[in-house]
Each structure stands twice: as structure tokens, then as C-alpha cells.
């Protein structure tokens, strides 16, 4: 026959045969298995036999029924197997065989990591059964306060203070958050009942590690009920009587845990206390998540601000570079425009100079032609400067004067004529300086043609050396 084994927190352990098709468990005397514990309802749960299979069903009890640490919904049958743990109120039962667990033993646990949304709905429905006015006000006040802060240390401090105020059985507590780099729990705040101020508090590292790994809220209501071989060294060494540890979970991410324990008396914490602590963990986890997001946002905004400042500096530098380049470009354009204007002016001047050069060349060619015609003609020709100094002459001039080339070159023109002619020539030279030219009659002072009267004409001629005068004399003038 199949038995169910009862552990009610004392050293006494009892067992019951499951002989009926339906076995009712409760505090009432009409129950098949009577458990005299205030946490157990009068008709708490029933165990149903169907052939070789067994099922457990909660009958709408006040404190719920648990299978292997998981609460079950009322009036819903869950199959149980040999070795499964059944919790009714604060009492644990083992189905099919006596208690024989390895490692740490927990009386009650709530899984929050698997199907977190459903677990939270169940949790909130349980929280609605909390009738203690002070506890309800604590949950409300904590939710309001935590969601107004973005400082993680402040959030953890307020949360731990609220836990101490509503759970008088706590001797020591701590809030630990998972370090994002190492993945290890890091103590944020800790305190003891004897020291109201925050300070160093010991805690079970093995419990904290297990809660983070499994995502389960656990309570060990009476550590005495567990054998020392089932407990961790830290629990034994600290002589703990009861403890609770709840994960801080939001959006399926475990941020850390709330840990509390008692060293004064066994049964320091109940299943309701676990519900209360877990209810407090919900706004705390949300507040911590918001604080992390706020911190990340601050880092992002700081990085963006640094990048904005750097970008503004780069833009300012580039703007200055472009402004300087634009200024230099305008300067080059202006210089180019001025150069174009100067080039245009020079081109006009060159055209004008070329035109003048062509005119001068034409005049020179005309003068050259006239000079050639005079020099090569039958007349006598002298070339002088404006002062009358002889610069050149033709062969007929040598014959007419009877002077040598050496003596005639550089001689004042007036000296080769007689005194009367010299006076006329000097007057003609003065008029020539004023731009007036005349024809006159001149007579040589010596030579073959001395005594003969010549028709003379003084005319200007422009050569490369400057402005000169050409004195040409024609055949002797026959006197009457």
C-alpha cells in the first residue's frame, strides 16, 4: 500500500496509508488525515486514487497547496509521484516514501523564473489575501517610494527597511545584486536587527547562489526539521533557525536577491511571510530595472554629449578651415580678376602701342623714303639736330662745301653759309623749334658752289635717335 509521510516541524514524523479512492487532508475532525496546525484549512486538500495513479487537488484553502515547491491552482488535479513533496499550509508531506533529500532542504519555494508572467499573477492573487493593514500599507508605500528613485543604493536601502518593518522575525538581512561583469552576487546593502543602521551582515552564500541559479523564492521555516547532513556549512555555522531568500526578477531577468534570516527561534518565517517578501520584491525589481535603464541612459547621454561636443569642435574646425579656404579663394578670385583687368589694360595699351608703332613705322618709312629721295636726288642734303649740328650729308654736300667728311661731321650748319645766309638759317632753326618751317635762299661761304644762291628748305624728320631736321638745297637760284 502507498503511504504519505507527514513532517510538521517537530522531530515527530507520522505516516498514513492511502486506502480510499479520495483522501481528504485538513484541520477539521472530519478529514481523513487530520493536521492540527493553524496554517492548515479545515478541508485543505485531497489525494485522489485512479488505478495506479495518484493526484493532488487544493480545495480552495487559505494558504494553498504546494507540489515540489510550486503552488497549484484550487480545484485543479495534479498527478503526484513517489518522492514528491506536498505542502499544506506550513506542513510538509512526502508521497510514497519518507523524507530523503540531498543537499539543502527547503520547506516552501516559489518559482519566478519559469513562466514569470503566470507566476506573478498567482503571486498577486495570493497577495490579495493579505489582510494585515500595516503590511498592505507597506507594500503600497514601498511601491510608491521605489518607483520615484533612480539610485540603486537608495532603492535597496528603502526596500530592506520596509522588509524589517513588516517582518519582525528578521534578525539580519541583505540585498545583493548580480555583477554584470563577473556574474557573481555583490552585496549592496546589509543590516541587522541589533544595529538599526546599515552595516555588515552575514548571509548564506549557498542559499543566495541557489536562488539566483534557479530563480526560486524559498523559505526554510524551521531549520531544526532538517538534518545537518542536508544543510550547507554556512547555515550550520551561523546557527540559523529560519531563513528566506527571494529573487529580484523583472522581464525574466534576475537582478539579484533579498535575503533575510533569523537566529532566535524556529518557525520564524511562514509561507505567508514568503508571499509578503515576494510581493515586496516585485516593485523592488521594477525599480532596480528602471534605475539600471536610467543609469544606462545616463551613460548613453553622457557618451552622446561627449560625441556632440567633439562633433561641434570638428564642425567648428572644419567651418574655420572652409572659411579660411573661402577667404583665400575670394582673394585669389579678386587677384585673378585684377590680373585680368590689368591684362586687359595691358592688351589695350599693347594694341595702342602697336598702333602707334605702326604709325611711327609708317612715318619713319615715309621719312626714310623722303630722305632717300633727297639724298639720292640731284639736291644737296644735310641732316642736323634741332640745334643745327650736322649729323649727316650726301656726296653732293661734300662737293658743294669743299670740306672733308671728318670736318663737316659735327659742324654747326650755319658756318658753311655766308653771313647773311647764316642769319636766315638761324631764324629758320628757331621757327623749326616752334613747329614753323619756311623756304629760304642760302649761299655757301666757300667751295665749288660759293657765291651761288640756292633754294633751301628746312623740314622735320623723325629718326630712332630723336627729332632731327633735314636741310635740302636745290639747283642754284638764277638771279635777275
Amino acid at each position: 500500500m502507498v503511504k504519505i509521510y507527514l513532517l510538521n516541524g517537530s522531530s515527530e514524523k507520522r505516516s498514513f496509508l492511502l486506502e480510499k479512492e479520495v483522501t481528504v487532508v485538513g484541520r477539521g475532525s472530519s478529514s481523513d488525515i487530520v493536521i492540527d496546525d493553524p496554517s492548515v484549512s479545515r478541508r485543505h486538500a485531497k489525494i485522489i486514487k485512479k488505478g495506479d495513479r495518484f493526484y493532488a487537488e487544493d480545495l480552495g484553502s487559505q494558504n494553498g497547496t504546494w507540489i515540489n515547491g510550486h503552488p497549484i491552482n484550487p480545484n485543479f488535479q495534479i498527478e503526484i509521484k513517489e518522492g514528491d513533496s506536498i505542502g499544506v499550509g506550513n506542513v510538509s508531506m512526502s508521497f510514497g516514501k519518507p523524507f530523503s533529500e540531498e543537499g539543502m532542504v527547503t520547506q516552501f519555494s516559489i518559482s519566478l523564473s519559469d513562466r514569470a508572467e503566470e507566476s506573478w499573477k498567482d503571486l498577486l492573487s495570493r497577495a490579495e489575501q493579505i489582510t494585515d493593514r500595516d503590511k498592505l500599507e507597506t507594500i503600497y508605500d514601498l511601491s510608491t517610494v521605489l518607483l520615484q528613485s533612480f539610485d540603486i543604493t537608495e532603492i535597496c536601502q528603502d526596500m530592506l527597511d520596509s522588509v524589517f518593518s513588516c517582518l519582525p522575525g528578521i534578525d539580519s538581512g541583505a540585498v545583493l545584486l548580480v555583477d554584470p561583469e563577473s556574474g557573481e552576487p555583490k552585496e549592496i546593502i546589509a543590516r541587522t536587527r541589533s544595529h538599526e543602521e546599515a552595516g555588515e551582515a552575514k548571509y548564506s552564500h549557498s542559499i543566495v547562489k541557489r536562488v539566483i541559479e534557479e530563480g526560486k523564492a524559498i523559505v526554510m521555516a524551521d531549520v531544526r526539521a532538517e538534518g545537518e547532513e542536508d544543510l550547507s556549512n554556512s547555515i550550520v555555522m551561523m546557527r540559523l533557525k529560519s531563513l528566506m531568500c527571494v529573487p529580484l526578477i523583472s522581464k525574466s531577468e534576475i537582478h539579484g536577491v533579498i535575503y533575510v534570516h533569523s537566529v532566535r527561534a524556529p518557525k520564524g518565517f511562514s509561507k505567508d511571510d514568503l508571499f509578503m517578501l515576494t510581493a515586496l520584491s516585485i516593485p523592488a525589481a521594477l525599480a532596480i530595472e528602471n534605475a539600471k535603464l536610467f543609469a544606462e541612459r545616463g551613460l548613453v547621454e553622457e557618451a552622446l554629449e561627449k560625441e556632440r561636443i567633439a562633433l561641434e569642435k570638428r564642425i567648428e574646425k572644419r567651418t574655420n578651415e572652409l572659411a579660411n579656404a573661402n577667404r583665400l579663394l575670394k582673394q585669389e578670385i579678386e587677384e585673378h580678376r585684377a590680373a585680368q583687368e590689368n591684362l586687359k589694360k595691358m592688351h589695350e595699351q599693347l594694341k595702342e602701342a602697336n598702333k602707334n608703332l605702326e604709325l611711327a613705322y609708317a612715318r619713319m618709312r615715309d621719312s626714310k623714303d623722303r630722305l632717300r629721295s633727297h639724298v639720292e636726288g640731284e639736291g644737296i642734303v644735310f641732316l642736323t639736330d634741332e640745334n643745327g649740328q650736322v649729323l649727316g650729308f650726301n656726296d653732293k654736300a661734300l662737293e658743294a662745301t669743299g670740306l672733308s667728311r671728318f670736318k663737316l661731321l659735327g659742324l654747326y650748319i650755319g658756318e658753311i653759309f655766308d653771313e647773311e645766309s647764316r642769319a636766315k638759317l638761324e631764324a629758320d632753326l628757331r621757327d623749326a623749334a616752334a613747329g614753323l618751317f619756311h623756304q629760304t635762299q642760302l649761299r655757301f661761304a666757300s667751295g665749288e658752289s660759293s657765291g651761288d644762291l640756292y633754294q633751301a628748305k628746312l623740314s622735320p624728320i623723325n629718326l630712332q635717335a630723336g627729332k632731327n631736321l633735314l636741310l635740302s638745297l636745290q639747283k642754284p637760284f638764277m638771279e635777275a
Side-chain angles (χ1 to χ4, degrees), residues 241-292:
K241 298 296 191 297
S242 57
L243 62 84
M244 287 191 296
C245 190
V246 176
L248 297 168
I249 300 179
S250 65
K251 297 180 180 178
S252 299
E253 179 183 355
I254 299 179
H255 300 290
V257 299
I258 309 174
Y259 170 90
V260 294
H261 69 227
S262 174
V263 296
R264 290 176 293 171
K267 294 188 179 180
F269 307 123
S270 66
K271 189 185 301 182
D272 288 339
D273 293 334
L274 182 62
F275 277 126
M276 180 64 185
L277 186 60
T278 308
L280 291 174
S281 74
I282 297 175
L286 291 174
I288 290 172
E289 180 184 16
N290 290 339
K292 286 184 176 181

Side-chain angles (χ1 to χ4, degrees), residues 38-207:
S39 66
V40 180
S41 300
R42 290 184 179 275
R43 286 177 57 84
H44 197 108
K46 63 182 179 180
I47 298 174
I48 306 163
K49 178 181 179 182
K50 295 181 180 180
D52 296 334
R53 296 186 177 186
F54 289 83
Y55 298 85
E57 180 181 344
D58 183 78
L59 299 177
S61 64
Q62 178 71 25
N63 293 319
T65 302
W66 306 61
I67 303 297
N68 294 326
H70 301 281
I72 63 176
N73 294 326
N75 305 313
F76 186 77
Q77 296 180 3
I78 299 293
E79 184 177 1
I80 54 177
K81 297 180 179 180
E82 185 180 22
D84 284 348
S85 174
I86 304 173
V88 288
N90 291 334
V91 178
S92 294
M93 298 185 296
S94 178
F95 176 74
K97 63 179 181 180
F99 286 93
S100 179
E101 303 178 37
E102 297 180 358
M104 295 178 295
V105 176
T106 60
Q107 279 192 323
F108 309 110
S109 66
I110 305 174
S111 178
L112 300 180
S113 60
D114 298 332
R115 298 184 302 171
E117 184 177 353
E118 295 181 9
S119 297
W120 281 20
K121 287 181 179 179
D122 293 340
L123 189 61
L124 292 175
S125 67
R126 293 287 185 179
E128 291 176 356
Q129 299 176 7
I130 299 176
T131 58
D132 189 311
R133 180 182 181 86
D134 292 338
K135 290 183 178 180
L136 290 173
E137 289 181 351
T138 298
I139 295 174
Y140 175 78
D141 293 342
L142 180 63
S143 300
T144 303
V145 170
L146 293 184
L147 295 178
Q148 292 177 348
S149 176
F150 293 106
D151 184 271
I152 290 182
T153 303
E154 183 180 350
I155 292 172
C156 295
Q157 179 68 63
D158 292 339
M159 177 171 52
L160 197 58
D161 290 344
S162 298
V163 171
F164 267 77
S165 67
C166 66
L167 297 176
I170 298 174
D171 288 323
S172 181
V175 179
L176 302 96
L177 298 183
V178 177
D179 187 276
E181 296 182 359
S182 65
E184 296 296 322
K186 179 181 179 181
E187 181 181 307
I188 303 301
I189 194 74
R191 59 173 289 190
T192 61
R193 179 72 67 178
S194 58
H195 298 85
E196 292 298 328
E197 297 295 330
E200 181 179 0
K202 296 181 179 180
Y203 57 89
S204 172
H205 294 267
S206 55
I207 292 292

Side-chain angles (χ1 to χ4, degrees), residues 458-474:
L458 193 63
S459 58
I461 185 170
N462 294 321
L463 299 177
Q464 292 181 350
K467 188 176 181 180
N468 300 309
L469 298 174
L470 185 66
L471 178 62
S472 58
L473 297 94
Q474 296 298 329

